[in-house]
Amino acid sequence: MNDTNRILIAFDGAHPVRRTVDDLRRAGLPRRVEVLVLTVAEGADFAALKRASSASGIRKDALERAKRDLRLARGTATRAAARIQSAFPGWKVKSEGRTGSPAQTIIQ
């Protein structure tokens, strides 16, 4: 039986990750936890644009904007995950950045 808890933290960077860490400390979570920190930059889905760009001639600036947004989302998620990992060294913490609709992406 797998007794590891999994937590998805959808983090948009709007408030300091310190507050998230404080909330996690108060939650009384167990030692064995797997965490995914997910940041979704609202806008065009970079992966979908990239697939479609060669076939449909999508404007290069739209693809570059989505690429920039993806890079920023990944950076935000990585920094938040690092702070959470340092506060909870026994946890497995991963990060992921995506582009698209935040609500849809988080639910998926």
Side-chain angles (χ1 to χ4, degrees):
M1 182 180 211
N2 185 356
D3 60 348
T4 301
N5 291 323
R6 293 190 175 118
I7 301 172
L8 169 64
I9 299 174
F11 185 73
D12 65 1
H15 66 274
V17 72
R18 168 183 41 81
R19 287 176 47 196
T20 301
V21 169
D22 290 346
D23 290 344
L24 289 169
R25 283 193 176 119
R26 284 191 293 272
L29 297 167
R31 290 185 195 171
R32 294 185 59 186
V33 175
E34 293 178 6
V35 176
L36 174 61
V37 178
L38 176 63
T39 299
V40 183
E42 188 163 8
D45 182 345
F46 174 72
L49 273 180
K50 191 170 182 176
R51 283 191 303 271
S53 66
S54 59
S56 64
I58 289 179
R59 291 178 35 183
K60 187 176 179 180
D61 60 330
L63 190 58
E64 288 301 315
R65 187 172 35 254
K67 187 177 182 179
R68 183 199 69 224
D69 291 346
L70 178 59
R71 190 171 45 249
L72 291 171
R74 286 178 175 164
T76 299
T78 299
R79 286 187 299 278
R83 291 285 305 267
I84 292 167
Q85 185 69 76
S86 69
F88 301 95
W91 291 6
K92 286 185 182 179
V93 181
K94 296 179 183 177
S95 64
E96 191 173 319
R98 296 188 191 172
T99 55
S101 164
Q104 284 183 323
T105 303
I106 292 165
I107 290 171
Q108 292 173 346

